């Protein structure tokens, strides 16, 4: 049974933890019943918070979904000041986007994109577009304008056939070592090296 939350101001760390708990519950619901059948009421109940808490953190259900997708792309914010290490960024992308949660959200979005086109657009903007811009900046800063034009191809290579097999339930998430191999191969293809 969940401990009752104390009254009064919550710290930033407590707010971040609560936000993540709500997103964990939401991802589980999206995975199990899809977007249409997930409700704010169900998310709030499962997370042990009031419905108004979910609304105050995120807004509507679409915003909860967009936040869940953005969280899977948190490596963009977590890169810190030194965003120049392309290979490290590529490994982070492979690990994040081949994770169980990312695969679940991606599967759900594929199944519901035509019914919820605005949600599909939010998925793309909160996830792939943000990550491609992240890669583009690193490529531009470290390898020049010509390489930066290949950011979307690099992102596609980082997903690759292994990601498709994950979506189809034919493969497990790559180990950190395998993620490093996939990332090095993709970076090598884009930069024309023998990585």
């Amino acid at each position: 049974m969940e401990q009752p939350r104390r009254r009064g101001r919550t710290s930033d760390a407590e707010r971040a933890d609560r936000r993540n708990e709500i997103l964990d519950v939401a991802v589980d619901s999206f995975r199990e019943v899809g977007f249409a059948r997930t409700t704010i009421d169900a998310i709030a109940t499962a997370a042990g918070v009031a419905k108004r808490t979910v609304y105050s953190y995120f807004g509507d259900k679409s915003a909860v979904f967009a936040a869940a997708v953005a969280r899977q792309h948190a490596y963009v914010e977590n890169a810190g000041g030194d965003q120049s290490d392309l290979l490290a960024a590529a490994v982070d992308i492979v690990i994040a986007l081949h994770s169980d949660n990312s695969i679940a959200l991606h599967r759900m979005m594929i199944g519901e994109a035509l019914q919820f086109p605005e949600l599909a657009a939010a998925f793309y903007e909160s996830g792939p577009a943000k990550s491609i811009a992240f890669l583009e900046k690193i490529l531009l800063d470290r390898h020049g304008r010509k390489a930066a034009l290949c950011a979307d191809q690099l992102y596609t290579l980082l997903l690759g056939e292994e990601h498709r097999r994950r979506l189809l339930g034919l493969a497990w998430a790559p180990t950190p070592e395998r993620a490093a191999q996939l990332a090095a191969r993709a970076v090598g293809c884009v930069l024309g090296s023998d990585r």
Side-chain angles (χ1 to χ4, degrees):
M1 181 135 198
E2 184 174 335
Q3 294 291 328
R5 300 202 190 276
R6 65 180 176 84
R7 293 198 176 263
R9 288 187 178 235
T10 56
S11 70
D12 289 344
E14 290 169 327
R15 282 187 56 76
D17 287 346
R18 185 174 302 160
R19 184 180 192 278
N20 278 319
E21 289 168 8
I22 294 167
L23 286 177
D24 289 342
V25 166
V27 169
D28 288 345
S29 184
F30 293 139
R31 174 186 298 149
E32 292 167 16
V33 300
F35 182 79
R37 293 179 49 209
T38 293
T39 66
I40 295 293
D41 282 328
I43 292 169
T45 299
V49 299
K51 190 164 96 170
R52 70 181 168 351
T53 301
V54 177
Y55 283 114
S56 73
Y57 276 84
F58 304 102
D60 65 8
K61 183 171 62 169
S62 293
V64 174
F65 180 77
V69 172
R71 184 175 68 162
Q72 294 305 120
H73 295 260
Y75 48 81
V76 173
E77 282 82 27
N78 295 340
D82 180 21
Q83 297 183 355
S84 62
D85 189 345
L86 180 61
L87 186 56
V91 171
D92 288 346
I93 289 170
V94 171
I95 289 170
L97 299 186
H98 290 243
S99 72
D100 291 342
N101 281 347
S102 287
I103 292 298
L105 291 170
H106 199 135
R107 282 179 183 147
M108 191 221 74
M109 192 67 265
I110 289 169
E112 304 209 30
L114 295 178
Q115 185 178 357
F116 299 102
E118 301 85 18
L119 190 66
F123 174 87
Y124 187 79
E125 289 305 316
S126 297
K130 188 175 180 182
S131 293
I132 291 167
F134 172 65
L135 289 170
E136 184 175 25
K137 181 173 179 358
I138 295 171
L139 286 165
L140 182 63
D141 290 350
R142 298 287 292 194
H143 302 283
R145 188 168 186 269
K146 186 176 179 184
L149 295 173
C150 298
D152 57 342
Q153 286 88 357
L154 176 55
Y155 184 77
T156 299
L157 289 170
L158 292 171
L159 297 178
E161 285 305 306
E162 195 128 344
H163 189 263
R164 187 185 327 267
R165 286 192 293 275
R166 289 279 291 135
L167 288 171
L168 295 171
L170 302 174
W172 298 101
T175 63
E177 295 79 20
R178 179 68 178 146
Q181 291 170 350
L182 293 169
R185 189 169 63 195
V187 168
C189 286
V190 168
L191 297 181
S193 64
D194 294 331
R195 287 184 177 265

